[in-house]
Amino acid sequence: MYKYLFTTLALVILLNGCGGGGSSSSTAVVPSVNNRPPATSVTDDESTNLSSSVFSELKTQGFKWVNNDNQQVVLKGTNLGNWLLHEFWMMNQSGNTVATDQCSLEQTLDDRFGFDERERLLDLFRDNWIKDRDWDLMQSFEFNVVRLPFIWNLIEDENNPRTLRADAWQYIDYAIEKAEEHGMYVILDLHGAVGAQGWHDHSGCAGQNLYWSSEEFKDRTRWLWQQIAQRYKDNNTVAAYGLLNEPWGTNANAMAANLIELYNAVRQIDQDKIVVLPGHSSGLDAYGSPSSFGGTNVAFDMHFYPGFFGWSEPGYEVHRDWLTCGASGDSGVCEWDTRMRSLNAPLIVGEFQPWASLLNTDFGAQNTRASYDRYADLGWAVTSWSYKVVSASGGQAAGTWGHVTNINENLGLVAKASTWACPGWNGSLGQACELGASEIELQEEGNKTLYLVVKFGACCGGNLDVSIDRLSLLDENGNELIMNGEFDSSADWIQWRVDESPSLQFNTSTVSKSPAGALGSFLSMTGIPSNSSSTVNGGIYQPIYLQSGQAYTISGVFKDNGSQDAWAEIYLTDETPVDGLDIVAEESIPGVNFATASIQEIESLFELFGTVEYEVHQPLVDALTADEPSTLYTLPDPPTGLVATKNNNVVNLSWNANNEPDVTGYDIHRRAQNDSEFELIIENHSGTEYVDTVSENQGYTYKIAAKDSQDTSYFSSLVVVSASN
């Protein structure tokens, strides 16, 4: 397939970031009745962070992490994922090759180049994925702990079982040294045991799960942890030993029995270091309290991912319900607080992700800060997943999982969303989930005619149904450069196609397809590929004249209306689009097929990971380092006194006004008698009465919620009206 390479076009695209985080020091406090998270409540003499405790040995005291002076220590940090155990999605290599996990990569390199060359290449990768600059950046986030995932054969000689590699400790020692220099503890995390403790690639070997059926592998893992304990038992920078990450390839009881054996093996060497026992996907019940098996200095590890992996969808409600304990006040984090107090043991949230896939970047930042704060209130240690992720296009879009990523160098690609990254997107180009931009500057000498291209498509037997409106490009004086960006007609736009042409409907006004923020009519693009090997791919374009050195503001809104295997992209290119020729941005991080690439190509990729320019999630930094905690999830009370009366086809609703002075309005939801789901019929209604026009022969159920500038309350009681006779 042809593509345009943007080698002559030099644009600076200022990308919108997402995310944010921070923590406060406090004891675990259950939220008050109105579900407002409690304020920080631990005084300086009760709690301390690393900067003032100077690497005291950590221990457990009930459900708290404390130092040698019995002062509570609040640990907040991140994971160094993909460094000492590969996860291909984190480095833009998924689907490029038969090598798709750590084991298959090692085998592929062994088969092609031999063991010694494989080891040299993996060292080259590790020397570049995390470098000195990364420790400086992590410190700038005000982290005081890093969780260090690693695979077993980083330490054990895979060709000589129960024998240390000659270079067994080089990367772990380096991590501990750099963490100490930057004021951070280290939690060692065996992410991949010999044989693999789960079915997924993050155990090192996808599809194997051989650890549980092999006494040899279990015994070697006990041996491995004894070697680790022997080396680091007197090193206070190592806060804890995380014995096995997500060991979900067996049932909960077998997991607990094996982990207690691992715990006992560690205690033969190190009687004092905190040992972290992982939860099962079903929870912690199989262990019982640490005292039930003679455990001391034991913490438990759970991974909480609201909005992902079947836990609802990323958004406000799922995080609100989790962090503020639900409408009942005893679910979410409160339920887990109760469990940990019952176990009399502290918790580490070893992995969590509160900013990815949230199209509103300000909300993502505040949600992350609120998450760190809430966990700190409960006394939980927390490490986000993950510090660094890179992608083909780069840039800080809402779908990015890293605190840092590679800067966008696809100079022609301005904005992108797809159903793979964020199905159902609906918002501005600046908050597009894969790449968003708000400002553009031409860096080349002289002025230039470019082409603004709106490109939508679908493949793989999918379907395209996307809308766009209010496309605008303003110069520094506020002059509009795009003609007919509101798509009232096809005027000023030239149609262009790559394969099968999408159907274009200008001046569309179907309410259900209107993007959020649209002004009325808009452009709808639809289409279904004729077969699984063809694509609907194309769109429209118009010439745009830009001046060197001037900054331009770009904006617009677009929406996915239930597409499948589809994308929406905006480009500025210096070549006229031609039918039959695709426009594809050059990848910032190229995909490499390890089964066919030369050693030089593999070396270049691995070295690129260490030299690529970063784009830091600045909203994340700002939120983490802000002096004041986030006010997100300081919820209004649920409205009271909701009454509904029906007269023919009119329902009159009324309710009591909320007492909070910052309440801005009320969301009203309605469900018809035969419907299973409520629909939002009016948002942020300013009064305490509402008249709803409905079907005369239908019954309805209503509920309302109060809103302020950031939050939405839990719902009022339901009211039901019957069908009119």
Side-chain angles (χ1 to χ4, degrees):
M1 181 178 290
Y2 293 93
K3 66 178 180 180
Y4 291 132
L5 300 181
F6 303 99
T7 54
T8 61
L9 174 62
L11 296 173
V12 172
I13 300 178
L14 304 182
L15 303 175
N16 283 355
C18 69
S23 76
S24 60
S25 298
S26 63
T27 54
V29 179
V30 177
S32 56
V33 174
N34 68 358
N35 294 295
R36 293 178 182 270
T40 299
S41 59
V42 171
T43 59
D44 290 341
D45 61 348
E46 292 173 313
S47 178
T48 182
N49 60 29
L50 184 58
S51 62
S52 61
S53 62
V54 193
F55 294 103
S56 164
E57 179 184 26
L58 297 187
K59 57 185 179 179
T60 68
Q61 185 182 84
F63 54 88
K64 300 177 182 179
W65 302 72
V66 300
N67 63 17
N68 275 336
D69 295 325
N70 294 322
Q71 295 174 309
Q72 185 176 4
V73 176
V74 176
L75 296 173
K76 68 169 185 178
T78 191
N79 280 267
L80 297 187
N82 192 57
W83 182 29
L84 305 180
L85 188 156
H86 291 302
E87 295 192 35
F88 277 40
W89 68 272
M90 298 178 70
M91 54 181 179
N92 190 46
Q93 302 305 310
S94 296
N96 295 316
T97 174
V98 295
T100 57
D101 59 18
Q102 182 83 32
C103 285
S104 60
L105 175 61
E106 291 174 356
Q107 188 62 58
T108 298
L109 297 179
D110 282 351
D111 292 344
R112 297 191 63 205
F113 308 123
F115 177 82
D116 290 343
E117 187 66 0
R118 177 250 279 190
E119 289 293 281
R120 184 188 70 82
L121 289 170
L122 291 186
D123 277 355
L124 182 66
F125 169 86
R126 291 162 181 157
D127 290 342
N128 281 282
W129 184 258
I130 295 294
K131 304 188 76 169
D132 288 358
R133 64 171 178 170
D134 297 295
W135 299 98
D136 294 338
L137 280 170
M138 284 185 282
Q139 185 179 47
S140 75
F141 283 85
E142 296 186 359
F143 290 145
N144 64 7
V145 64
V146 292
R147 184 169 178 256
L148 188 64
F150 63 92
I151 192 167
W152 66 276
N153 64 352
L154 186 77
I155 297 171
E156 182 183 7
D157 185 340
E158 63 195 85
N159 297 314
N160 297 284
R162 298 177 184 81
T163 303
L164 291 173
R165 293 171 53 115
D167 58 356
W169 308 111
Q170 62 170 328
Y171 292 107
I172 294 180
D173 280 356
Y174 165 77
I176 293 169
E177 175 188 350
K178 301 307 292 186
E180 184 173 343
E181 288 177 8
H182 291 80
M184 291 181 280
Y185 283 109
V186 174
I187 295 174
L188 301 179
D189 162 45
L190 181 56
H191 220 69
V194 58
Q197 72 276 15
W199 295 103
H200 301 292
D201 60 345
H202 54 246
S203 294
C205 307
Q208 291 196 12
N209 195 37
L210 300 176
Y211 173 85
W212 303 105
S213 59
S214 171
E215 291 304 317
E216 167 71 5
F217 292 164
K218 294 176 186 176
D219 184 66
R220 284 168 60 183
T221 303
R222 289 189 288 270
W223 173 88
L224 181 71
W225 269 113
Q226 289 184 330
Q227 310 314 302
I228 296 169
Q230 185 64 49
R231 186 168 185 86
Y232 299 117
K233 64 180 181 178
D234 297 321
N235 190 317
N236 288 347
T237 307
V238 178
Y241 305 138
L243 297 187
L244 210 55
N245 179 71
E246 296 183 357
W248 302 343
T250 189
N251 63 64
N253 289 332
M255 177 206 74
N258 176 258
L259 266 295
I260 291 171
E261 289 180 358
L262 271 177
Y263 165 84
N264 288 329
V266 169
R267 284 292 179 248
Q268 292 176 20
I269 306 299
D270 184 344
Q271 289 76 47
D272 299 320
K273 191 80 70 183
I274 293 175
V275 173
V276 177
L277 301 181
H280 195 264
S281 56
S282 61
L284 298 171
D285 293 346
Y287 287 108
S289 66
S291 61
S292 68
F293 56 83
T296 59
N297 273 353
V298 170
F300 291 103
D301 177 24
M302 290 296 297
H303 299 170
F304 298 133
Y305 283 102
F308 296 100
F309 312 122
W311 186 346
S312 190
E313 296 291 336
Y316 174 84
E317 286 80 8
V318 65
H319 289 284
R320 178 200 64 185
D321 293 358
W322 167 247
L323 293 173
T324 67
C325 306
S328 66
D330 59 5
S331 62
V333 297
C334 288
E335 180 182 358
W336 276 97
D337 180 45
T338 300
R339 292 184 187 183
M340 301 318 299
R341 289 170 182 261
S342 175
L343 290 170
N344 200 34
L347 183 69
I348 175 173
V349 184
E351 296 179 17
F352 74 112
Q353 175 45 261
W355 70 85
S357 298
L358 298 175
L359 296 181
N360 185 317
T361 56
D362 291 335
F363 169 64
Q366 292 306 312
N367 186 57
T368 303
R369 175 63 190 259
S371 297
Y372 273 105
D373 286 351
R374 190 70 180 99
Y375 295 153
D377 288 336
L378 297 167
W380 299 351
V382 289
T383 51
S384 62
W385 192 274
S386 184
Y387 163 68
K388 175 180 177 179
V389 172
V390 300
S391 64
S393 59
Q396 304 233 8
T400 302
W401 278 54
H403 291 273
V404 301
T405 188
N406 49 310
I407 196 168
N408 175 263
E409 296 177 352
N410 297 336
L411 301 178
L413 182 60
V414 175
K416 179 179 180 180
S418 74
T419 57
W420 297 282
C422 54
W425 75 83
N426 185 11
S428 70
L429 298 182
Q431 295 175 346
C433 64
E434 292 191 79
L435 180 65
S438 57
E439 293 187 11
I440 294 172
E441 184 176 347
L442 183 65
Q443 294 293 296
E444 290 182 338
E445 294 294 330
N447 305 326
K448 199 169 187 67
T449 298
L450 305 175
Y451 296 90
L452 181 80
V453 181
V454 180
K455 174 190 166 185
F456 293 179
C459 72
C460 318
N463 69 83
L464 171 69
D465 192 341
V466 177
S467 308
I468 187 168
D469 193 24
R470 297 179 61 187
L471 194 56
S472 172
L473 186 66
L474 302 177
D475 65 17
E476 294 176 342
N477 297 316
N479 298 312
E480 180 62 70
L481 303 184
I482 295 177
M483 304 296 292
N484 189 20
E486 296 179 2
F487 306 105
D488 295 330
S489 69
S490 61
D492 302 304
W493 291 100
I494 303 168
Q495 189 168 352
W496 155 82
R497 65 171 182 80
V498 179
D499 191 358
E500 299 174 1
S501 180
S503 175
L504 308 181
Q505 294 91 39
F506 291 86
N507 200 31
T508 302
S509 57
T510 305
V511 174
S512 62
K513 294 189 176 185
S514 179
L519 294 179
S521 62
F522 52 87
L523 170 64
S524 172
M525 288 192 178
T526 59
I528 300 176
S530 59
N531 57 67
S532 60
S533 61
S534 64
T535 64
V536 170
N537 190 9
I540 54 176
Y541 70 92
Q542 64 175 265
I544 300 289
Y545 185 73
L546 298 186
Q547 300 180 36
S548 175
Q550 185 168 158
Y552 298 87
T553 301
I554 188 166
S555 61
V557 294
F558 64 157
K559 179 185 180 185
D560 167 35
N561 301 301
S563 303
Q564 182 179 353
D565 294 326
W567 59 86
E569 300 167 349
I570 308 295
Y571 289 88
L572 272 171
T573 172
D574 57 353
E575 295 188 41
T576 308
V578 176
D579 283 350
L581 298 183
D582 204 356
I583 298 175
V584 179
E586 187 175 12
E587 293 185 332
S588 295
I589 300 292
V592 169
N593 187 337
F594 295 103
T596 59
S598 67
I599 285 180
Q600 290 73 27
E601 289 173 314
I602 296 171
E603 288 175 337
S604 295
L605 174 67
F606 289 172
E607 290 169 350
L608 178 60
F609 291 140
T611 59
V612 66
E613 186 177 354
Y614 283 161
E615 188 162 330
V616 178
H617 279 271
Q618 193 57 47
L620 198 64
V621 176
D622 294 341
L624 273 165
T625 58
D627 292 335
E628 297 298 323
S630 172
T631 58
L632 188 65
Y633 306 126
T634 53
L635 307 184
D637 291 328
T640 62
L642 178 61
V643 176
T645 58
K646 188 169 187 286
N647 184 13
N648 296 323
N649 68 333
V650 172
V651 175
N652 293 288
L653 299 168
S654 64
W655 57 92
N656 299 326
N658 273 57
N659 293 324
E660 297 92 348
D662 58 344
V663 166
T664 58
Y666 302 88
D667 289 349
I668 303 174
H669 296 252
R670 179 186 67 203
R671 182 178 67 197
Q673 189 173 25
N674 296 323
D675 291 343
S676 59
E677 301 291 336
F678 280 89
E679 63 173 325
L680 175 64
I681 60 173
I682 186 168
E683 185 174 10
N684 212 23
H685 179 64
S686 60
T688 58
E689 296 180 346
Y690 182 71
V691 177
D692 188 25
T693 302
V694 296
S695 171
E696 184 173 351
N697 299 317
Q698 178 72 276
Y700 296 90
T701 302
Y702 292 87
K703 60 183 180 181
I704 62 174
K707 296 179 73 77
D708 61 27
S709 60
Q710 284 186 299
D711 287 300
T712 303
S713 75
Y714 290 106
F715 285 114
S716 68
S717 299
L718 303 178
V719 295
V720 180
V721 294
S722 302
S724 301
N725 295 326

